[in-house]
Amino acid sequence: MQAGSETTGSTVQECGSACVRPQFGNRFLSADDDVFQHNAWDNIQWDEEQEQAALEGVKKNSSVKLPGTEVDRLATEADKNWDRFYGIHQNRFFKDRHWLFTEFPELAPFKNTSDVPERVLPDGGTVRHVEATSAANQPRTIFEIGCGVGNTVFPILKYSHEDNLMVYASDFSQQAIDILRQNPEYDPQRCQAFVLDATAENWEVPFAENSIDIVVLIFVLSAIDPDRMQHIANQIARYLKPGGLVLLRDYGRYDLAQLRFKPGKCVKDNFYVRGDGTLVYFFTQEDLRKLFVEAGLIEEQNIVDRRLQVNRGKMIKMYRVWVQVKFRKPCAD
C-alpha cells in the first residue's frame, strides 16, 4: 500500500499530505528480490486477493462471539490477568523500544552525543537527535499510559540529559509498576511511575490538567474495551497542555495477530481475548481519527504501516499491520 493511505477491504482512503510516513527502514521488496533474503520488508502493498482473504478470515473468526458471562468474568479479572502476565515474563519478554526515536522524533532527547540511535530520513540521510539548544533547559513532561516494565521510559531517560525532563509512567498492573521501579535505571527524580486504570471516570495522577507536553500510547489502547476508548481520549485531551501532542502506535485491522484468532475468541467486532485473558482491538485509521478529533485534537499524522516479516529458517511469511498517529491539542487563542 502507498504511504499515507489506508486499505480496508478493497477501499483505499487517502489521508492527505500530513500523513506522509517517516521512513522506518529502507528495505523495500521488488519483483526481483528474494523475499527470504532479509528478515523484514517495509511498506508492503497488498493485492486484492490478500485483502479478500483477510476479510474472509475476520468474518470467520468473528462468527462465534464469546458468551456474555465470559466477557463479564474477563472484565472482573482484568487486573489479575495483567499482573499474572508480568509475573510470568518479568522484564525478560520485552525489548527497549529504541525505534521510538525513529518513528517519533518528538521523543528524541536533547543531547549532544553520537550514541543516540540514528533516524533514517526519506531522502536517505540520517539525524541522530534533537540538537542541544536552550530548549534543553526548558521543562518538558512526557506521560506514558500503559508503560509496562519501562521499555519506552528507559530509552528516553538513558539518552536524555535534559535538566528539567520529567517522565510520568502509568500502568494498569501493579506488578508491572513494581518491576519498573526495581530497575536500576529508575530515577524518581526524573520519573514517577504509578498505577492507573485509564478507564476510571476520574484519574488520580501526580500532575495538573493542561500540563503534559507529550502523551505516549504504544500498543496500549488496543487492550481497552472500545466502549471506553472515547473517555480515555477525552482525558488525554484534558491533561495535555495547549500545543501538546499525542503519539500512538498500535495494532491495525487485518494484522497477522487478528487473523490467527479462532472462532469463539471474539468479544465484539475486531476485539478479541487472548489465551492469557488479555484483550486486543485492531484499529483502522478512521477509528483513531474519530476518537481524537471528537476529543478536540487536531490530526497531524495518521498512517498504516504494513510490513512483511519472514522466518528464514521455516520459510514462513508474516504480514504485520500497525497504525500510527499524532494528534495535537490546539493552542489557546
Side-chain angles (χ1 to χ4, degrees):
M1 87 167 247
Q2 299 297 319
S5 65
E6 176 190 11
T7 303
T8 303
S10 59
T11 302
V12 177
Q13 179 178 358
E14 298 299 331
C15 67
S17 59
C19 301
V20 175
R21 182 182 184 277
Q23 191 174 3
F24 184 93
N26 54 6
R27 189 166 288 159
F28 304 103
L29 184 64
S30 69
D32 297 328
D33 287 319
D34 174 5
V35 70
F36 293 105
Q37 180 182 0
H38 300 292
N39 291 328
W41 301 89
D42 298 310
N43 290 339
I44 294 296
Q45 297 187 32
W46 284 26
D47 57 28
E48 290 188 16
E49 184 177 348
Q50 275 183 287
E51 293 178 5
Q52 189 59 39
L55 284 168
E56 292 298 325
V58 170
K59 181 179 179 180
K60 181 178 179 180
N61 69 22
S62 302
S63 59
V64 179
K65 295 293 195 296
L66 205 66
T69 53
E70 185 68 7
V71 174
D72 293 340
R73 184 184 67 80
L74 287 170
T76 301
E77 298 179 357
D79 56 343
K80 295 179 182 178
N81 289 332
W82 280 111
D83 281 344
R84 187 182 305 113
F85 174 86
Y86 286 110
I88 293 171
H89 297 292
Q90 296 291 310
N91 61 359
R92 297 182 299 273
F93 182 75
F94 312 94
K95 295 180 180 180
D96 286 345
R97 295 162 171 160
H98 297 287
W99 56 263
L100 286 170
F101 302 136
T102 301
E103 293 299 300
F104 299 125
E106 297 85 356
L107 293 174
F110 297 107
K111 181 179 179 183
N112 189 18
T113 181
S114 62
D115 64 355
V116 178
E118 291 185 345
R119 178 163 66 94
V120 181
L121 300 176
D123 62 3
T126 61
V127 59
R128 292 184 181 276
H129 57 284
V130 178
E131 293 293 339
T133 65
S134 59
N137 297 316
Q138 299 300 313
R140 189 163 74 126
T141 53
I142 297 173
F143 174 37
E144 184 182 14
I145 300 173
C147 62
V149 295
N151 302 91
T152 295
V153 169
F154 291 124
I156 295 173
L157 293 176
K158 177 180 179 179
Y159 292 115
S160 176
H161 282 182
E162 295 170 70
D163 295 332
N164 296 304
L165 172 68
M166 174 56 72
V167 178
Y168 297 101
S170 73
D171 200 275
F172 184 52
S173 167
Q174 180 67 62
Q175 183 82 358
I177 295 299
D178 290 343
I179 294 170
L180 188 154
R181 287 173 175 167
Q182 292 164 12
N183 191 304
E185 296 183 24
Y186 180 69
D187 179 357
Q189 300 301 314
R190 306 176 68 215
C191 180
Q192 294 185 34
F194 56 95
V195 175
L196 174 69
D197 177 0
T199 67
E201 195 62 29
N202 297 302
W203 287 5
E204 295 184 9
V205 292
F207 46 79
E209 296 181 9
N210 300 299
S211 68
I212 299 296
D213 289 290
I214 299 176
V215 173
V216 182
L217 302 102
I218 306 297
F219 296 99
V220 167
L221 195 60
S222 54
I224 305 297
D225 188 309
D227 292 341
R228 297 297 294 164
M229 289 181 185
Q230 189 62 61
H231 169 68
I232 294 173
N234 294 344
Q235 288 291 88
I236 289 171
R238 181 190 302 272
Y239 285 96
L240 274 177
K241 66 171 55 173
L245 193 64
V246 177
L247 307 177
L248 177 149
R249 189 170 174 86
D250 219 318
Y251 295 103
R253 189 71 48 85
Y254 310 131
D255 178 60
L256 173 67
Q258 181 177 18
L259 301 181
R260 280 181 169 174
F261 279 105
K262 304 298 183 184
K265 295 296 185 180
C266 185
V267 178
K268 57 183 71 174
D269 288 350
N270 303 299
F271 190 48
Y272 303 81
V273 58
R274 300 186 182 97
D276 60 7
T278 61
L279 300 164
V280 58
Y281 183 82
F282 297 87
F283 292 97
T284 65
Q285 288 173 285
E286 188 55 37
D287 287 336
L288 293 168
R289 178 178 293 120
K290 182 175 183 295
L291 284 174
F292 290 108
V293 168
E294 288 196 5
L297 305 184
I298 299 170
E299 181 179 293
E300 291 197 351
Q301 182 191 70
N302 191 335
I303 60 177
V304 173
D305 178 5
R306 292 179 184 267
R307 190 162 307 165
L308 171 58
Q309 297 176 337
V310 300
N311 183 320
R312 289 189 281 176
K314 297 181 179 180
M315 304 293 282
I316 296 174
K317 300 178 184 179
M318 298 169 286
Y319 290 91
R320 305 310 309 265
V321 183
W322 297 303
V323 287
Q324 180 171 304
V325 301
K326 300 178 184 180
F327 283 83
R328 192 175 297 277
K329 185 171 181 175
C331 292
D333 295 333

